[in-house]
Structure formats: structure tokens, C-alpha cells
Amino acid sequence: MDAWEELVTSALLGTDRKPPAGRAGDAAAVALLDAAAVQTVRRRAGLRPGPAAAPLEAAPEDDRRPLPEAAGCRLAQLLAGRAAPAPSGGRRGAAPDLTELLPQWLAAANEHGYRAPAAALPALLDAARARTDLRPQALAFAGPRGLWLARLNPEWKFALRGAGAGGALPDPGDRDAVLALWEEGLFAERVALLSAVRADDPDRGRELLASTWGTERAEDRLMFLDSLRAGLGPADEEFLEAALSDRSRNVRATAAELLSALPASALAARMAERAASCVSLDRTKGAERIVVEAPHECDAGMRHDGVAPTPPSGRGERSWWLGQLVEAAPLDSWPARFGGRGPEEIVALPVADDWRGELHAAWCRAAVRQRNADWSRALLGSPAAPQAAGPGTSSLAERAQLLSTLPAEERAVWVASFIAAHGLSEAFQLLGVCAVPWAEPLGGAVVDALDIARDAGSYPWSFSGVMGLAERCLSPSVAPQLAALTALPTEAEDASPGAAGYWSEAFQRLVSTLELRAAMHAELAGP
């Protein structure tokens, strides 16, 4: 036994049971530590040099144009300010929130086709590691050199997974390279590859998936199947129809959902027939109304076509089955069922026996799934109407989804009218689906509503979410118009103490943020 092993044995057993040679009592413990220190130095000094590591592969070239100097300084400022501590007392202060400006800066830099400065790559990867919402834009900006650097640090390995490794994917037109990566790549690489091929050639993407479909794991099949949403078309029907017989329930459900988004598919026709047998127009008693007879069972055909037989807790079976049938039926099949009426007239019809909410909610889901703007308009109704009296739904979340199917300009006009009628307290979800920067009259409606809220004398905290959205989404061109709102007004007697100061600070932050966004875009535009 060598000296080091003897020391280890003494340390494990204790110096009372196995003291070092020639020592006992308290001195034994001190002697053990002294001997361990000496032996440690000897062991380290006696190490033989290992083989030299292979030299690093040179970083790849990035042919994109360099970032303008002013924009590079701004990037460094944004990256350094992403973790700045909040002001004391919970107040945000009047300074812009650099954390929220970084995503916009990255998106604009990528639109201009700039490459990231080499010195900024570590901080950029750190920022993307901390915030998943930054990753697509940050990794696109970092480019091939960012991926090269990420391979050298385990903390940046996220950049080598999924869509983040997009810069390392072969050209979708290079069939041999695509096939090699599809057959040999990691799962995340294959997901990213399938999405890229699908975006370039939907048919080629489907064929690639079909070539290995039978050997994929169930959870992988589900992820791959979801990629068919991009470029979904009639040519995908045969593949999706076969997936309805998949052994995985989740795969079957996703295939059914995709097929129902194709109004001309055979599944959509089957669903339309089932839904029509449950929903009809009744002309008795001198008035017309919609009558509903929900399914009494979920038969094998319904289950094959993706209808889930077991409802969530607290939901009735029949209403659960009915909702799934109606949302999967093509919306264009209903006018013939209701005497040639259009969507607005159908939605306005009374519904018997309290089935209105269930039926309209299913139509809302169908309008979103099928991206049908006419039905979305009918179900949204007038933005000035009380929410509970809306024709289709009183849920703001459902209204936001319906709005997403409308053109951007029409969306902005509808939300502006909603804010004018109901104020900002209920508009946060609706504002989130509007195109950025907010077009008029939406921007003006938001500013007017904030001004009214300030004059009401309450604290601005309940509007902090909308104010944060305004900082990111208002057009920078309105900053001069907001300058008057930054002044500290005289507080009314019935106003909340100090509210005027909070509002002044909030508007100062809004103006300074808009001015900073304008400067960012000017710097990226270059001299």
C-alpha cells in the first residue's frame, strides 16, 4: 500500500483506530493533515503532461454586412441593461425598460440583414439562454459564428437544438443532404429540418415524413405531424386520413384537427353531416329558431374521426360531443342548412333550450381553425355592445382569437372602437393580437383612454400592462403629441394621493421609450 492510500485509510477509519506512523492522540490528526498536504503537492507535481488537444476549428465566415457603429453601441447598451435592477419602492421610474426593447432591436437588425459583432456574441447567447422568447431572433442574428461559439460552452447548448440550429441545416433543395440529416440527425434537428423543407416545398416535406412514419415513436410522430400546419393543403389529406388510424390517441386527434381545417376533406364532410343531424332550423309556432339535439352516444365512427369520448370534469357528455362535431364541420355548410342565410343572420337566430352558448362557442372555434373572417365578424358583433350581449361570445380570450383572423387594419379599427366604448381595463388581450406598430385609430384610442384614466384621479397601476404594451407597440411618431401628458397636473381633491405624480412618471417613461425606439431604427438604417 503506497503512502497516499495509507493516508486515505487513516482518514476513513479515524486516527484513533489507525493513526499515522509514530503519532497518537491529538497529534495524530494534525500529522494526518500535514502528510496529506505534502502528498497532494507531490502527486500534482508528478503528473505527466497529457497529449495536446486538437486545435480549434476556425469560426465560419458570416457574409452578412457589418452593423453600423452607432447600432453596435446600442446593442451593447441593451445587452448590458437586460438585468438592471428595478427602482426601489416598486416604482419603475421614468427610464425606458431596456429588457423589453431588445426583442424589437433584434427583429429590426435581422430585417436589415446585419451580422452580429463578434465581441457581442457571448452576451447575446447569455441573453438568449435566460429568455426563451429571445432565442429565434437572437440566434438568427448570431448566425453561424454564434453556433460555432455555442459548441464550446455547455451553457449555450440550447442553441444547437431545434429551430435554434437553423443556421446549420442543409439547403432544403439539397436532397442528399436533407435525406442524410433526416435519417441520422437528432430529433430536434429533424424537427427543424422538416419545418424548413415544409416551408420550401410542402409536398416534399410530407413525403420526407411519410418515408419514416412507420418507424417513429408516438411522441415524435405527434411533433412531426404538427409541422404540417404550415402549408396545409388538399394534397395532405390522404396522409392525414391514414393517420386517423394511428395507434396514438394524440396523433389521431391532431390529424382530425388538421383535416377539419380543410373544408373540402372527407372528414369535414362527415363532420358536417353529423353536425347537421344535431342542429336544425325550427319554423313552428310562428317564429324561426335553432333547435339542437345533441348526440346520445359517441360511436366508433366519431371516435375514428377524432371525437374524444370522455369529457373534462364538470362537462356533460352530450354537450362535449356536440361541440366537437360543430367545430369540425365546415362553416360554409351552414348557410344551406339555414335557408341561405349568411353568418350574421345565422348567429342572430335564437337558439332553443339554452344551447346558444355551446353552439356559438363551437362556431367560434371553427372560425379560428378555418380562418374564416366572415364568421369571425358575425361572432364578434359590434365592439360597442355589452360583452354579455355579444352575438357569439362574451369571452375576451375568444374574441382575441376571432380578431386574429381579420386583416390587420380591420382588427385595429375594431379594438379602437372597443376601447372607446369600454375603456382599457378589458382591452389588454385584444391589444395583444393587433399588428405592431399600432395603426390609427388604435394608437389614438389607447392614448385618449390613458388620458381619461389619468384625469379620473386613480393610480395607474391597474393600467401598467397596457402602458407596457404601449411602450412597445405605439408608433414612435406620436411621442411629440404625448409631451403634454408628462407634466405634473394639479391633483383634484377626490383624487388618490400622489396619483398625479405616478401618471406623470409613467408618461415620461412612455415618451422616452418611444424616442429611444425611434433612435434605434434610425441607427439601424445607417448613415
Side-chain angles (χ1 to χ4, degrees):
M1 183 180 294
D2 63 24
W4 179 257
E5 291 180 347
E6 288 184 1
L7 291 173
V8 171
T9 301
S10 293
L12 291 173
L13 296 178
T15 54
D16 289 340
R17 296 177 60 187
K18 186 173 176 55
R23 299 295 179 94
D26 294 338
V30 175
L32 174 65
L33 294 175
D34 289 342
V38 172
Q39 289 296 331
T40 298
V41 173
R42 287 178 175 173
R43 287 166 64 88
R44 289 178 177 174
L47 285 177
R48 295 180 180 179
L56 285 177
E57 178 187 354
E61 292 296 327
D62 191 338
D63 297 331
R64 294 175 295 177
R65 55 182 179 147
L67 198 64
E69 182 178 356
C73 293
R74 182 72 65 189
L75 172 62
Q77 178 192 28
L78 296 176
L79 289 171
R82 66 185 177 86
S88 60
R91 297 177 65 161
R92 288 184 56 194
D97 186 348
L98 301 183
T99 303
E100 297 302 329
L101 293 179
L102 184 56
Q104 285 196 19
W105 190 97
L106 290 170
N110 286 328
E111 288 176 4
H112 283 284
Y114 291 123
R115 69 169 181 261
L121 288 175
L124 190 63
L125 289 170
D126 279 340
R129 175 174 173 260
R131 287 180 57 181
T132 56
D133 63 306
L134 282 179
R135 290 181 183 177
Q137 294 287 2
L139 295 177
F141 183 55
R145 289 187 172 185
L147 294 177
W148 172 85
L149 190 61
R151 294 187 182 97
L152 306 178
N153 186 342
E155 292 187 348
W156 297 331
K157 62 184 179 182
F158 69 87
L160 308 177
R161 298 194 297 259
L169 296 177
D171 187 303
D174 187 343
R175 287 180 171 263
D176 291 338
V178 165
L179 185 59
L181 183 58
W182 178 250
E183 293 179 345
E184 302 171 8
L186 300 174
F187 170 68
E189 293 174 323
R190 298 176 72 215
V191 171
L193 176 67
L194 181 59
S195 297
V197 174
R198 180 74 177 174
D200 180 71
D201 184 346
D203 292 339
R204 170 63 179 151
R206 185 187 62 256
E207 292 166 1
L208 190 67
L209 177 57
S211 67
T212 59
W213 180 257
T215 62
E216 305 288 356
R217 300 183 306 166
E219 56 268 32
D220 294 352
R221 293 199 303 276
L222 182 61
M223 289 288 292
F224 290 141
L225 192 63
D226 200 59
S227 69
L228 297 187
R229 295 181 191 277
L232 183 67
D236 299 317
E237 181 179 359
E238 182 179 355
F239 179 84
L240 293 171
E241 188 74 30
L244 289 176
S245 301
D246 194 273
R247 56 186 178 273
S248 166
R249 179 177 60 84
N250 290 331
V251 171
R252 296 195 302 270
T254 301
E257 180 189 345
L258 293 173
L259 283 168
S260 67
L262 297 173
S265 69
L267 178 137
R270 295 193 295 270
M271 289 298 196
E273 183 178 355
R274 293 180 181 119
S277 68
C278 298
V279 182
S280 60
L281 184 65
D282 178 38
R283 294 186 174 90
T284 60
K285 300 181 181 179
E288 294 182 321
R289 61 176 185 167
I290 298 175
V291 293
V292 175
E293 180 65 28
H296 290 274
E297 66 171 338
C298 184
D299 59 33
M302 291 167 60
R303 292 195 298 271
H304 175 268
D305 285 346
V307 176
T310 305
S313 177
R315 185 82 179 272
E317 284 186 333
R318 297 182 66 198
S319 64
W320 171 245
W321 299 332
L322 173 74
Q324 293 179 81
L325 296 182
V326 173
E327 72 176 280
L331 290 166
D332 292 342
S333 66
W334 293 110
R337 185 68 175 165
F338 292 108
R341 288 177 171 84
E344 289 188 9
E345 295 174 298
I346 294 173
V347 170
L349 287 169
V351 182
D353 300 327
D354 296 325
W355 281 103
R356 181 182 185 276
E358 189 70 47
L359 180 61
H360 284 197
W363 277 336
C364 285
R365 296 192 296 272
V368 173
R369 181 183 295 185
Q370 299 172 34
R371 314 304 296 173
N372 191 308
D374 291 335
W375 274 85
S376 292
R377 293 187 190 98
L379 292 161
L380 279 166
S382 169
Q387 289 193 43
T393 175
S394 58
S395 164
L396 286 171
E398 287 179 326
R399 284 187 165 190
Q401 291 180 324
L402 291 171
L403 280 169
S404 69
T405 69
L406 303 182
E409 184 177 349
E410 183 179 354
R411 218 179 304 165
V413 171
W414 197 97
V415 177
S417 299
F418 180 92
I419 292 171
H422 306 289
L424 284 172
S425 59
E426 303 293 336
F428 184 80
Q429 287 178 291
L430 306 180
L431 288 168
V433 299
C434 293
V436 177
W438 290 336
E440 290 300 331
L442 179 56
V446 171
V447 172
D448 289 345
L450 288 171
D451 192 14
I452 292 171
R454 182 192 67 158
D455 291 343
S458 60
Y459 291 116
W461 301 323
S462 59
F463 301 98
S464 59
V466 174
M467 188 66 80
L469 271 180
E471 292 169 13
R472 301 188 295 275
C473 303
L474 271 176
S475 171
S477 63
V478 306
Q481 305 170 28
L482 294 170
L485 299 179
T486 63
L488 184 64
T490 303
E491 288 191 354
E493 292 183 0
D494 58 345
S496 302
Y502 281 98
W503 276 109
S504 175
E505 192 176 82
F507 278 115
Q508 289 175 37
R509 183 174 61 252
L510 175 58
V511 171
S512 60
T513 301
L514 295 178
E515 291 174 344
L516 181 53
R517 284 175 52 208
M520 282 167 32
H521 286 283
E523 291 159 359
L524 287 167

